[in-house]
């Protein structure tokens, strides 16, 4: 596909089921898209034509100079980041789409059926260069992080497990990627309230026991039962597309010379960050 031209603006509204409705307009003096155009979603890193790499959504008239595209919650989008374009018939170029108003209130505190085999989420967001994109997650099963409480010696996390039940030997593991010998397991506690609710406390001391000679990002995994595969602990069931810089937690010094901070990645996965610090802190 040749470089995109002639920007189109899209307002977006989400409903509680996860369906997204886009209202498209073309800022003057750009020509309005024709009703035969489609809203094209292309997953980054996917070559054109690869299954799951592109989705075309028909556009229909919704008022003078406006076109509407509806992305049902049932439409399959693989996990990743999807860029939005308008593709017009007979044109070799696509028009970029810039974000307008985004009403995503219905996505906040979603509660899917805990018995569902998979959990999906998609959040429209503005890219750093001012275009419209979707961040999509597909998790099967999924461990949704809730409240994170930072104590003097560890972090306590509550959450809800989807797609699998907690069994004997359930635990949470802190894993340091790239170092198979460095993992620490802590007990998981069923919590009251919603089905699938869980809680755990992760003490900083064992991971911080060293060596910590540089920044380390420990991933947190929920192991539903002894011998079961781990489930990545993340927070995706709301309207925040990237928590990496927007959710900031206090830093603690569990051992001399090491700083520990709960954090989220840019993909909303919950982690524990360790880094060297002053020896007297």
């Amino acid at each position: 596909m040749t470089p995109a031209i002639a920007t189109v603006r899209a307002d977006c509204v989400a409903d509680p089921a996860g369906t997204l409705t886009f209202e498209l307009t073309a800022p003057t003096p750009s020509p309005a898209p024709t009703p035969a155009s489609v809203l094209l979603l292309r997953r980054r890193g996917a070559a054109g034509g690869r299954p799951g790499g592109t989705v075309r959504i028909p556009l229909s008239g919704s008022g003078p100079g406006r076109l509407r595209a509806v992305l049902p919650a049932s439409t399959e989008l693989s996990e990743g980041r999807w860029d939005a374009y308008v593709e017009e018939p007979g044109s070799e170029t696509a028009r970029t789409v810039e974000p307008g108003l985004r009403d995503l209130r219905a996505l906040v505190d979603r509660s899917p059926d805990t018995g569902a085999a998979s959990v999906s989420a998609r959040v429209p967001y503005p890219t750093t260069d001012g275009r419209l994109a979707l961040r999509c997650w597909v998790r099967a099963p999924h461990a949704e992080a809730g409240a994170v409480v930072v104590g003097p010696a560890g972090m306590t996390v509550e959450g809800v497990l989807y797609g699998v039940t907690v069994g004997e030997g359930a635990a949470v593991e802190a894993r340091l990627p790239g170092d198979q010998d460095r993992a620490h397991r802590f007990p998981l506690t069923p919590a009251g309230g919603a089905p699938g609710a869980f809680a755990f406390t992760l003490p900083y001391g064992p991971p911080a026991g060293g060596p910590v000679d540089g920044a380390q990002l420990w991933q947190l995994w929920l192991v539903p039962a002894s011998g079961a595969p781990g489930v990545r602990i993340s927070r995706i069931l709301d309207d925040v597309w990237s928590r990496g810089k927007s959710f900031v937690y206090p830093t603690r010094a569990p051992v001399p010379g090491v700083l520990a901070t709960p954090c989220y990645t840019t993909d909303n996965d919950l982690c524990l960050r360790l880094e060297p610090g002053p020896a007297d802190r």
Side-chain angles (χ1 to χ4, degrees):
M1 179 178 293
T2 54
I5 59 172
T7 296
V8 176
R9 179 170 297 172
D11 298 335
C12 181
V13 177
D15 73 8
T19 293
L20 300 175
T21 300
F22 301 91
E23 295 281 349
L24 279 68
T25 57
T28 55
S30 299
T34 65
S37 303
V38 298
L39 181 64
L40 173 67
L41 301 179
R42 170 160 291 172
R43 183 165 57 86
R44 292 182 202 170
R50 179 186 299 179
T54 58
V55 171
R56 288 176 170 83
I57 309 170
L59 292 171
S60 60
S62 64
R66 297 181 67 87
L67 292 173
R68 176 177 296 165
V70 178
L71 177 64
S74 58
T75 302
E76 294 187 3
L77 294 178
S78 54
E79 181 154 338
R81 298 179 186 271
W82 294 70
D83 294 307
Y85 303 91
V86 168
E87 188 177 68
E88 298 185 311
S91 176
E92 296 183 355
T93 61
R95 300 172 70 171
T96 58
V97 179
E98 66 179 25
L101 299 176
R102 290 174 295 120
D103 184 354
L104 307 180
R105 291 172 293 177
L107 300 181
V108 177
D109 296 328
R110 291 176 56 214
S111 297
D113 181 359
T114 55
S118 66
V119 171
S120 62
R122 52 196 65 168
V123 181
Y125 73 96
T127 64
T128 55
D129 57 355
R131 295 177 295 109
L132 178 66
L134 296 183
R135 178 60 174 100
C136 300
W137 292 269
V138 181
R139 301 289 172 91
H142 170 59
E144 176 77 359
V148 177
V149 178
V150 178
M155 57 189 286
T156 297
V157 179
E158 297 179 350
V160 179
L161 182 61
Y162 295 90
V164 65
T165 57
V166 172
E168 186 175 354
V172 167
E173 286 189 352
R175 304 175 182 175
L176 184 60
D179 192 336
Q180 298 299 318
D181 294 329
R182 300 196 66 183
H184 299 277
R185 178 174 287 207
F186 309 96
L188 186 74
T189 304
F198 66 84
F200 66 89
T201 296
L202 189 157
Y204 300 142
V212 182
D213 49 11
Q216 299 176 349
L217 201 61
W218 290 73
Q219 298 179 348
L220 303 186
W221 294 77
L222 189 154
V223 180
S226 296
V231 181
R232 193 73 172 86
I233 301 175
S234 310
R235 185 163 180 177
I236 62 175
L237 296 177
D238 58 20
D239 61 342
V240 182
W241 66 91
S242 180
R243 295 185 137 74
K245 295 181 179 179
S246 58
F247 277 58
V248 179
Y249 295 98
T251 296
R252 299 289 186 255
V255 299
V258 176
L259 302 179
T261 312
C263 66
Y264 284 98
T265 68
T266 55
D267 289 321
N268 290 3
D269 295 326
L270 185 61
C271 293
L272 173 64
R273 184 174 65 246
L274 298 181
E275 53 194 335
D280 58 350
R281 180 173 176 180

